[in-house]
PDB file of all heavy atoms in Angstrom:
ATOM      1  N   SER E 125       5.532 -62.536-158.765  1.00 94.00           N
ATOM      2  CA  SER E 125       4.343 -63.270-158.314  1.00 94.00           C
ATOM      3  C   SER E 125       4.388 -63.733-156.843  1.00 94.00           C
ATOM      4  O   SER E 125       3.408 -63.725-156.160  1.00 94.00           O
ATOM      5  CB  SER E 125       4.038 -64.516-159.173  1.00 94.00           C
ATOM      6  OG  SER E 125       3.655 -64.202-160.511  1.00 94.00           O
ATOM      7  N   VAL E 126       5.638 -64.076-156.512  1.00 93.00           N
ATOM      8  CA  VAL E 126       5.934 -64.418-155.019  1.00 93.00           C
ATOM      9  C   VAL E 126       5.536 -63.265-154.235  1.00 93.00           C
ATOM     10  O   VAL E 126       4.863 -63.322-153.162  1.00 93.00           O
ATOM     11  CB  VAL E 126       7.332 -64.981-154.854  1.00 93.00           C
ATOM     12  CG1 VAL E 126       7.664 -65.044-153.379  1.00 93.00           C
ATOM     13  CG2 VAL E 126       7.461 -66.266-155.447  1.00 93.00           C
ATOM     14  N   VAL E 127       6.054 -62.100-154.570  1.00 92.00           N
ATOM     15  CA  VAL E 127       5.775 -60.895-153.743  1.00 92.00           C
ATOM     16  C   VAL E 127       4.331 -60.493-153.796  1.00 92.00           C
ATOM     17  O   VAL E 127       3.766 -60.123-152.761  1.00 92.00           O
ATOM     18  CB  VAL E 127       6.573 -59.668-154.321  1.00 92.00           C
ATOM     19  CG1 VAL E 127       6.251 -58.457-153.559  1.00 92.00           C
ATOM     20  CG2 VAL E 127       8.118 -59.971-154.272  1.00 92.00           C
ATOM     21  N   LEU E 128       3.718 -60.626-154.935  1.00 92.00           N
ATOM     22  CA  LEU E 128       2.245 -60.317-155.041  1.00 92.00           C
ATOM     23  C   LEU E 128       1.458 -61.220-154.211  1.00 92.00           C
ATOM     24  O   LEU E 128       0.449 -60.801-153.422  1.00 92.00           O
ATOM     25  CB  LEU E 128       1.785 -60.436-156.602  1.00 92.00           C
ATOM     26  CG  LEU E 128       0.315 -60.246-156.766  1.00 92.00           C
ATOM     27  CD1 LEU E 128      -0.181 -58.905-156.352  1.00 92.00           C
ATOM     28  CD2 LEU E 128       0.013 -60.564-158.346  1.00 92.00           C
ATOM     29  N   LEU E 129       1.695 -62.539-154.216  1.00 93.00           N
ATOM     30  CA  LEU E 129       0.883 -63.486-153.388  1.00 93.00           C
ATOM     31  C   LEU E 129       1.207 -63.208-151.903  1.00 93.00           C
ATOM     32  O   LEU E 129       0.220 -63.298-151.102  1.00 93.00           O
ATOM     33  CB  LEU E 129       1.316 -64.941-153.651  1.00 93.00           C
ATOM     34  CG  LEU E 129       0.897 -65.422-155.029  1.00 93.00           C
ATOM     35  CD1 LEU E 129       1.526 -66.785-155.315  1.00 93.00           C
ATOM     36  CD2 LEU E 129      -0.598 -65.468-155.172  1.00 93.00           C
ATOM     37  N   ALA E 130       2.373 -62.807-151.523  1.00 92.00           N
ATOM     38  CA  ALA E 130       2.604 -62.386-150.081  1.00 92.00           C
ATOM     39  C   ALA E 130       1.763 -61.243-149.706  1.00 92.00           C
ATOM     40  O   ALA E 130       1.160 -61.213-148.581  1.00 92.00           O
ATOM     41  CB  ALA E 130       4.097 -62.122-149.901  1.00 92.00           C
ATOM     42  N   VAL E 131       1.647 -60.203-150.612  1.00 90.00           N
ATOM     43  CA  VAL E 131       0.857 -59.077-150.272  1.00 90.00           C
ATOM     44  C   VAL E 131      -0.636 -59.391-150.158  1.00 90.00           C
ATOM     45  O   VAL E 131      -1.322 -59.023-149.293  1.00 90.00           O
ATOM     46  CB  VAL E 131       1.031 -57.990-151.399  1.00 90.00           C
ATOM     47  CG1 VAL E 131       0.024 -56.873-151.222  1.00 90.00           C
ATOM     48  CG2 VAL E 131       2.446 -57.448-151.384  1.00 90.00           C
ATOM     49  N   VAL E 132      -1.119 -60.226-151.114  1.00 90.00           N
ATOM     50  CA  VAL E 132      -2.467 -60.591-151.174  1.00 90.00           C
ATOM     51  C   VAL E 132      -2.925 -61.340-149.958  1.00 90.00           C
ATOM     52  O   VAL E 132      -3.983 -61.188-149.349  1.00 90.00           O
ATOM     53  CB  VAL E 132      -2.783 -61.426-152.428  1.00 90.00           C
ATOM     54  CG1 VAL E 132      -4.208 -62.025-152.347  1.00 90.00           C
ATOM     55  CG2 VAL E 132      -2.686 -60.542-153.616  1.00 90.00           C
ATOM     56  N   PHE E 133      -1.999 -62.319-149.428  1.00 91.00           N
ATOM     57  CA  PHE E 133      -2.365 -63.184-148.271  1.00 91.00           C
ATOM     58  C   PHE E 133      -2.154 -62.536-147.019  1.00 91.00           C
ATOM     59  O   PHE E 133      -2.709 -62.906-145.950  1.00 91.00           O
ATOM     60  CB  PHE E 133      -1.627 -64.504-148.444  1.00 91.00           C
ATOM     61  CG  PHE E 133      -2.250 -65.530-149.291  1.00 91.00           C
ATOM     62  CD1 PHE E 133      -1.719 -65.656-150.627  1.00 91.00           C
ATOM     63  CD2 PHE E 133      -3.298 -66.276-148.925  1.00 91.00           C
ATOM     64  CE1 PHE E 133      -2.351 -66.593-151.484  1.00 91.00           C
ATOM     65  CE2 PHE E 133      -3.924 -67.165-149.777  1.00 91.00           C
ATOM     66  CZ  PHE E 133      -3.392 -67.375-151.062  1.00 91.00           C
ATOM     67  N   LEU E 134      -1.256 -61.536-146.944  1.00 91.00           N
ATOM     68  CA  LEU E 134      -0.883 -60.862-145.746  1.00 91.00           C
ATOM     69  C   LEU E 134      -1.762 -59.656-145.394  1.00 91.00           C
ATOM     70  O   LEU E 134      -1.891 -59.137-144.334  1.00 91.00           O
ATOM     71  CB  LEU E 134       0.543 -60.453-145.571  1.00 91.00           C
ATOM     72  CG  LEU E 134       1.536 -61.571-145.555  1.00 91.00           C
ATOM     73  CD1 LEU E 134       2.981 -61.020-145.686  1.00 91.00           C
ATOM     74  CD2 LEU E 134       1.366 -62.471-144.349  1.00 91.00           C
ATOM     75  N   ALA E 135      -2.517 -59.157-146.509  1.00 88.00           N
ATOM     76  CA  ALA E 135      -3.312 -57.988-146.299  1.00 88.00           C
ATOM     77  C   ALA E 135      -4.503 -58.346-145.472  1.00 88.00           C
ATOM     78  O   ALA E 135      -5.139 -59.299-145.619  1.00 88.00           O
ATOM     79  CB  ALA E 135      -3.772 -57.497-147.673  1.00 88.00           C
ATOM     80  N   SER E 136      -4.893 -57.311-144.594  1.00 86.00           N
ATOM     81  CA  SER E 136      -6.032 -57.588-143.676  1.00 86.00           C
ATOM     82  C   SER E 136      -7.336 -57.565-144.500  1.00 86.00           C
ATOM     83  O   SER E 136      -8.273 -58.248-144.142  1.00 86.00           O
ATOM     84  CB  SER E 136      -6.030 -56.607-142.567  1.00 86.00           C
ATOM     85  OG  SER E 136      -6.082 -55.241-143.149  1.00 86.00           O
ATOM     86  N   ASP E 137      -7.397 -56.712-145.543  1.00 86.00           N
ATOM     87  CA  ASP E 137      -8.582 -56.617-146.432  1.00 86.00           C
ATOM     88  C   ASP E 137      -8.035 -56.646-147.844  1.00 86.00           C
ATOM     89  O   ASP E 137      -7.817 -55.651-148.429  1.00 86.00           O
ATOM     90  CB  ASP E 137      -9.317 -55.401-146.147  1.00 86.00           C
ATOM     91  CG  ASP E 137     -10.622 -55.360-146.969  1.00 86.00           C
ATOM     92  OD1 ASP E 137     -10.980 -56.324-147.623  1.00 86.00           O
ATOM     93  OD2 ASP E 137     -11.302 -54.285-146.914  1.00 86.00           O
ATOM     94  N   PRO E 138      -7.965 -57.862-148.447  1.00 84.00           N
ATOM     95  CA  PRO E 138      -7.535 -58.029-149.843  1.00 84.00           C
ATOM     96  C   PRO E 138      -8.223 -57.175-150.879  1.00 84.00           C
ATOM     97  O   PRO E 138      -7.726 -56.785-151.902  1.00 84.00           O
ATOM     98  CB  PRO E 138      -7.566 -59.465-150.128  1.00 84.00           C
ATOM     99  CG  PRO E 138      -7.585 -60.165-148.759  1.00 84.00           C
ATOM    100  CD  PRO E 138      -8.341 -59.155-147.861  1.00 84.00           C
ATOM    101  N   ALA E 139      -9.523 -56.927-150.552  1.00 80.00           N
ATOM    102  CA  ALA E 139     -10.372 -56.159-151.630  1.00 80.00           C
ATOM    103  C   ALA E 139      -9.906 -54.777-151.744  1.00 80.00           C
ATOM    104  O   ALA E 139     -10.181 -54.085-152.738  1.00 80.00           O
ATOM    105  CB  ALA E 139     -11.802 -56.095-151.071  1.00 80.00           C
ATOM    106  N   THR E 140      -9.079 -54.205-150.793  1.00 81.00           N
ATOM    107  CA  THR E 140      -8.586 -52.817-150.920  1.00 81.00           C
ATOM    108  C   THR E 140      -7.229 -52.732-151.646  1.00 81.00           C
ATOM    109  O   THR E 140      -6.698 -51.597-151.816  1.00 81.00           O
ATOM    110  CB  THR E 140      -8.393 -52.181-149.500  1.00 81.00           C
ATOM    111  OG1 THR E 140      -7.431 -52.935-148.764  1.00 81.00           O
ATOM    112  CG2 THR E 140      -9.688 -52.198-148.747  1.00 81.00           C
ATOM    113  N   ILE E 141      -6.648 -53.861-152.014  1.00 82.00           N
ATOM    114  CA  ILE E 141      -5.422 -53.880-152.690  1.00 82.00           C
ATOM    115  C   ILE E 141      -5.514 -53.235-154.071  1.00 82.00           C
ATOM    116  O   ILE E 141      -6.386 -53.637-154.866  1.00 82.00           O
ATOM    117  CB  ILE E 141      -4.762 -55.333-152.829  1.00 82.00           C
ATOM    118  CG1 ILE E 141      -4.527 -55.858-151.374  1.00 82.00           C
ATOM    119  CG2 ILE E 141      -3.503 -55.342-153.585  1.00 82.00           C
ATOM    120  CD1 ILE E 141      -4.075 -57.256-151.379  1.00 82.00           C
ATOM    121  N   ASP E 142      -4.603 -52.364-154.405  1.00 77.00           N
ATOM    122  CA  ASP E 142      -4.534 -51.806-155.733  1.00 77.00           C
ATOM    123  C   ASP E 142      -3.597 -52.645-156.514  1.00 77.00           C
ATOM    124  O   ASP E 142      -2.319 -52.648-156.341  1.00 77.00           O
ATOM    125  CB  ASP E 142      -4.022 -50.368-155.614  1.00 77.00           C
ATOM    126  CG  ASP E 142      -3.875 -49.752-157.076  1.00 77.00           C
ATOM    127  OD1 ASP E 142      -4.269 -50.397-158.086  1.00 77.00           O
ATOM    128  OD2 ASP E 142      -3.316 -48.628-157.166  1.00 77.00           O
ATOM    129  N   LEU E 143      -4.096 -53.473-157.488  1.00 78.00           N
ATOM    130  CA  LEU E 143      -3.283 -54.348-158.199  1.00 78.00           C
ATOM    131  C   LEU E 143      -2.194 -53.800-159.044  1.00 78.00           C
ATOM    132  O   LEU E 143      -1.185 -54.295-159.327  1.00 78.00           O
ATOM    133  CB  LEU E 143      -4.133 -55.271-159.121  1.00 78.00           C
ATOM    134  CG  LEU E 143      -4.842 -56.415-158.378  1.00 78.00           C
ATOM    135  CD1 LEU E 143      -5.706 -57.231-159.352  1.00 78.00           C
ATOM    136  CD2 LEU E 143      -3.862 -57.302-157.682  1.00 78.00           C
ATOM    137  N   GLN E 144      -2.520 -52.411-159.473  1.00 74.00           N
ATOM    138  CA  GLN E 144      -1.476 -51.712-160.205  1.00 74.00           C
ATOM    139  C   GLN E 144      -0.250 -51.463-159.455  1.00 74.00           C
ATOM    140  O   GLN E 144       0.886 -51.156-160.050  1.00 74.00           O
ATOM    141  CB  GLN E 144      -2.017 -50.543-160.814  1.00 74.00           C
ATOM    142  CG  GLN E 144      -3.242 -50.791-161.772  1.00 74.00           C
ATOM    143  CD  GLN E 144      -2.872 -51.492-163.021  1.00 74.00           C
ATOM    144  OE1 GLN E 144      -1.811 -51.276-163.558  1.00 74.00           O
ATOM    145  NE2 GLN E 144      -3.622 -52.529-163.356  1.00 74.00           N
ATOM    146  N   ASN E 145      -0.349 -51.345-158.125  1.00 75.00           N
ATOM    147  CA  ASN E 145       0.777 -50.995-157.270  1.00 75.00           C
ATOM    148  C   ASN E 145       0.940 -51.940-156.133  1.00 75.00           C
ATOM    149  O   ASN E 145       1.381 -51.498-155.024  1.00 75.00           O
ATOM    150  CB  ASN E 145       0.560 -49.545-156.786  1.00 75.00           C
ATOM    151  CG  ASN E 145       0.542 -48.537-157.848  1.00 75.00           C
ATOM    152  OD1 ASN E 145       1.685 -48.222-158.392  1.00 75.00           O
ATOM    153  ND2 ASN E 145      -0.471 -48.009-158.185  1.00 75.00           N
ATOM    154  N   ALA E 146       0.436 -53.237-156.299  1.00 77.00           N
ATOM    155  CA  ALA E 146       0.563 -54.103-155.206  1.00 77.00           C
ATOM    156  C   ALA E 146       1.986 -54.492-154.855  1.00 77.00           C
ATOM    157  O   ALA E 146       2.371 -54.549-153.720  1.00 77.00           O
ATOM    158  CB  ALA E 146      -0.184 -55.420-155.642  1.00 77.00           C
ATOM    159  N   VAL E 147       2.882 -54.644-155.876  1.00 77.00           N
ATOM    160  CA  VAL E 147       4.270 -54.895-155.663  1.00 77.00           C
ATOM    161  C   VAL E 147       4.970 -53.540-155.641  1.00 77.00           C
ATOM    162  O   VAL E 147       5.447 -53.083-156.690  1.00 77.00           O
ATOM    163  CB  VAL E 147       4.823 -55.817-156.763  1.00 77.00           C
ATOM    164  CG1 VAL E 147       6.333 -56.118-156.398  1.00 77.00           C
ATOM    165  CG2 VAL E 147       4.054 -57.081-156.853  1.00 77.00           C
ATOM    166  N   GLN E 148       5.105 -52.871-154.545  1.00 76.00           N
ATOM    167  CA  GLN E 148       5.598 -51.562-154.355  1.00 76.00           C
ATOM    168  C   GLN E 148       7.068 -51.537-154.283  1.00 76.00           C
ATOM    169  O   GLN E 148       7.638 -51.263-153.261  1.00 76.00           O
ATOM    170  CB  GLN E 148       4.969 -50.825-153.218  1.00 76.00           C
ATOM    171  CG  GLN E 148       3.475 -50.675-153.466  1.00 76.00           C
ATOM    172  CD  GLN E 148       2.786 -49.804-152.287  1.00 76.00           C
ATOM    173  OE1 GLN E 148       3.464 -49.538-151.312  1.00 76.00           O
ATOM    174  NE2 GLN E 148       1.548 -49.541-152.507  1.00 76.00           N
ATOM    175  N   ALA E 149       7.777 -51.806-155.433  1.00 84.00           N
ATOM    176  CA  ALA E 149       9.273 -51.739-155.535  1.00 84.00           C
ATOM    177  C   ALA E 149       9.688 -50.582-156.365  1.00 84.00           C
ATOM    178  O   ALA E 149      10.662 -50.663-157.094  1.00 84.00           O
ATOM    179  CB  ALA E 149       9.744 -53.008-156.008  1.00 84.00           C
ATOM    180  N   ASN E 150       8.899 -49.491-156.392  1.00 84.00           N
ATOM    181  CA  ASN E 150       9.203 -48.430-157.287  1.00 84.00           C
ATOM    182  C   ASN E 150       8.902 -47.085-156.620  1.00 84.00           C
ATOM    183  O   ASN E 150       8.527 -47.100-155.345  1.00 84.00           O
ATOM    184  CB  ASN E 150       8.239 -48.503-158.512  1.00 84.00           C
ATOM    185  CG  ASN E 150       6.792 -48.543-158.227  1.00 84.00           C
ATOM    186  OD1 ASN E 150       6.181 -47.584-157.758  1.00 84.00           O
ATOM    187  ND2 ASN E 150       6.084 -49.678-158.432  1.00 84.00           N
ATOM    188  N   LEU E 151       9.115 -45.987-157.283  1.00 85.00           N
ATOM    189  CA  LEU E 151       8.979 -44.680-156.664  1.00 85.00           C
ATOM    190  C   LEU E 151       7.613 -44.048-156.852  1.00 85.00           C
ATOM    191  O   LEU E 151       7.384 -42.889-156.454  1.00 85.00           O
ATOM    192  CB  LEU E 151      10.100 -43.664-157.267  1.00 85.00           C
ATOM    193  CG  LEU E 151      11.539 -44.057-157.004  1.00 85.00           C
ATOM    194  CD1 LEU E 151      12.434 -42.977-157.702  1.00 85.00           C
ATOM    195  CD2 LEU E 151      11.783 -44.084-155.494  1.00 85.00           C
ATOM    196  N   GLY E 152       6.700 -44.841-157.406  1.00 83.00           N
ATOM    197  CA  GLY E 152       5.368 -44.329-157.593  1.00 83.00           C
ATOM    198  C   GLY E 152       4.658 -44.022-156.218  1.00 83.00           C
ATOM    199  O   GLY E 152       3.776 -43.221-156.190  1.00 83.00           O
ATOM    200  N   VAL E 153       5.086 -44.747-155.209  1.00 78.00           N
ATOM    201  CA  VAL E 153       4.452 -44.503-153.859  1.00 78.00           C
ATOM    202  C   VAL E 153       4.799 -43.128-153.241  1.00 78.00           C
ATOM    203  O   VAL E 153       4.184 -42.658-152.349  1.00 78.00           O
ATOM    204  CB  VAL E 153       4.923 -45.692-152.847  1.00 78.00           C
ATOM    205  CG1 VAL E 153       4.456 -47.009-153.278  1.00 78.00           C
ATOM    206  CG2 VAL E 153       6.472 -45.584-152.679  1.00 78.00           C
ATOM    207  N   VAL E 154       5.862 -42.463-153.814  1.00 85.00           N
ATOM    208  CA  VAL E 154       6.178 -41.155-153.336  1.00 85.00           C
ATOM    209  C   VAL E 154       5.174 -40.111-153.811  1.00 85.00           C
ATOM    210  O   VAL E 154       5.082 -39.056-153.021  1.00 85.00           O
ATOM    211  CB  VAL E 154       7.612 -40.805-153.907  1.00 85.00           C
ATOM    212  CG1 VAL E 154       8.015 -39.407-153.389  1.00 85.00           C
ATOM    213  CG2 VAL E 154       8.672 -41.908-153.494  1.00 85.00           C
ATOM    214  N   PHE E 155       4.509 -40.261-154.904  1.00 84.00           N
ATOM    215  CA  PHE E 155       3.562 -39.295-155.435  1.00 84.00           C
ATOM    216  C   PHE E 155       2.238 -39.768-155.426  1.00 84.00           C
ATOM    217  O   PHE E 155       1.924 -40.921-155.851  1.00 84.00           O
ATOM    218  CB  PHE E 155       4.045 -38.887-156.846  1.00 84.00           C
ATOM    219  CG  PHE E 155       5.420 -38.509-156.973  1.00 84.00           C
ATOM    220  CD1 PHE E 155       6.399 -39.306-157.463  1.00 84.00           C
ATOM    221  CD2 PHE E 155       5.882 -37.225-156.591  1.00 84.00           C
ATOM    222  CE1 PHE E 155       7.740 -38.982-157.623  1.00 84.00           C
ATOM    223  CE2 PHE E 155       7.163 -36.874-156.678  1.00 84.00           C
ATOM    224  CZ  PHE E 155       8.151 -37.669-157.222  1.00 84.00           C
ATOM    225  N   GLU E 156       1.331 -38.909-154.953  1.00 81.00           N
ATOM    226  CA  GLU E 156      -0.155 -39.276-154.925  1.00 81.00           C
ATOM    227  C   GLU E 156      -0.626 -39.215-156.388  1.00 81.00           C
ATOM    228  O   GLU E 156      -0.427 -38.218-157.132  1.00 81.00           O
ATOM    229  CB  GLU E 156      -0.942 -38.298-154.113  1.00 81.00           C
ATOM    230  CG  GLU E 156      -0.780 -38.479-152.621  1.00 81.00           C
ATOM    231  CD  GLU E 156      -1.431 -39.807-152.075  1.00 81.00           C
ATOM    232  OE1 GLU E 156      -2.319 -40.233-152.895  1.00 81.00           O
ATOM    233  OE2 GLU E 156      -1.018 -40.319-151.131  1.00 81.00           O
ATOM    234  N   LYS E 157      -1.325 -40.232-156.887  1.00 76.00           N
ATOM    235  CA  LYS E 157      -1.781 -40.355-158.241  1.00 76.00           C
ATOM    236  C   LYS E 157      -2.706 -39.209-158.556  1.00 76.00           C
ATOM    237  O   LYS E 157      -2.684 -38.660-159.665  1.00 76.00           O
ATOM    238  CB  LYS E 157      -2.329 -41.702-158.487  1.00 76.00           C
ATOM    239  CG  LYS E 157      -2.715 -41.924-159.913  1.00 76.00           C
ATOM    240  CD  LYS E 157      -3.266 -43.328-160.140  1.00 76.00           C
ATOM    241  CE  LYS E 157      -3.670 -43.555-161.644  1.00 76.00           C
ATOM    242  NZ  LYS E 157      -4.152 -44.933-161.801  1.00 76.00           N
ATOM    243  N   ALA E 158      -3.658 -38.887-157.589  1.00 71.00           N
ATOM    244  CA  ALA E 158      -4.630 -37.909-157.855  1.00 71.00           C
ATOM    245  C   ALA E 158      -4.027 -36.451-157.987  1.00 71.00           C
ATOM    246  O   ALA E 158      -4.429 -35.656-158.819  1.00 71.00           O
ATOM    247  CB  ALA E 158      -5.706 -37.893-156.770  1.00 71.00           C
ATOM    248  N   ASP E 159      -2.945 -36.231-157.200  1.00 79.00           N
ATOM    249  CA  ASP E 159      -2.368 -34.860-157.184  1.00 79.00           C
ATOM    250  C   ASP E 159      -1.264 -34.658-158.242  1.00 79.00           C
ATOM    251  O   ASP E 159      -1.061 -33.686-158.804  1.00 79.00           O
ATOM    252  CB  ASP E 159      -1.826 -34.553-155.823  1.00 79.00           C
ATOM    253  CG  ASP E 159      -2.913 -34.613-154.723  1.00 79.00           C
ATOM    254  OD1 ASP E 159      -4.018 -34.272-155.110  1.00 79.00           O
ATOM    255  OD2 ASP E 159      -2.565 -34.927-153.663  1.00 79.00           O
ATOM    256  N   HIS E 160      -0.501 -35.772-158.483  1.00 83.00           N
ATOM    257  CA  HIS E 160       0.629 -35.713-159.410  1.00 83.00           C
ATOM    258  C   HIS E 160       0.677 -36.885-160.345  1.00 83.00           C
ATOM    259  O   HIS E 160       1.422 -37.833-160.185  1.00 83.00           O
ATOM    260  CB  HIS E 160       1.965 -35.630-158.628  1.00 83.00           C
ATOM    261  CG  HIS E 160       2.062 -34.638-157.628  1.00 83.00           C
ATOM    262  ND1 HIS E 160       2.226 -33.304-157.883  1.00 83.00           N
ATOM    263  CD2 HIS E 160       1.879 -34.664-156.291  1.00 83.00           C
ATOM    264  CE1 HIS E 160       2.259 -32.501-156.762  1.00 83.00           C
ATOM    265  NE2 HIS E 160       2.091 -33.400-155.746  1.00 83.00           N
TER     266      HIS E 160
END
């Protein structure tokens, strides 16, 4: 939650945040969801 709140408050446009991947501490960012 601490990381999530930091992302939400530091984002220039919070409306564009993908809540499913807001805390990006995983390898999901390596692969595009639409392509893979």
Side-chain angles (χ1 to χ4, degrees):
S125 293
V126 168
V127 178
L128 174 60
L129 290 174
V131 171
V132 168
F133 278 98
L134 293 176
S136 56
D137 184 7
T140 62
I141 295 174
D142 178 7
L143 280 180
Q144 297 297 318
N145 295 288
V147 182
Q148 296 185 353
N150 57 69
L151 296 180
V153 296
V154 177
F155 306 101
E156 287 291 338
K157 186 175 182 179
D159 298 330
H160 307 284

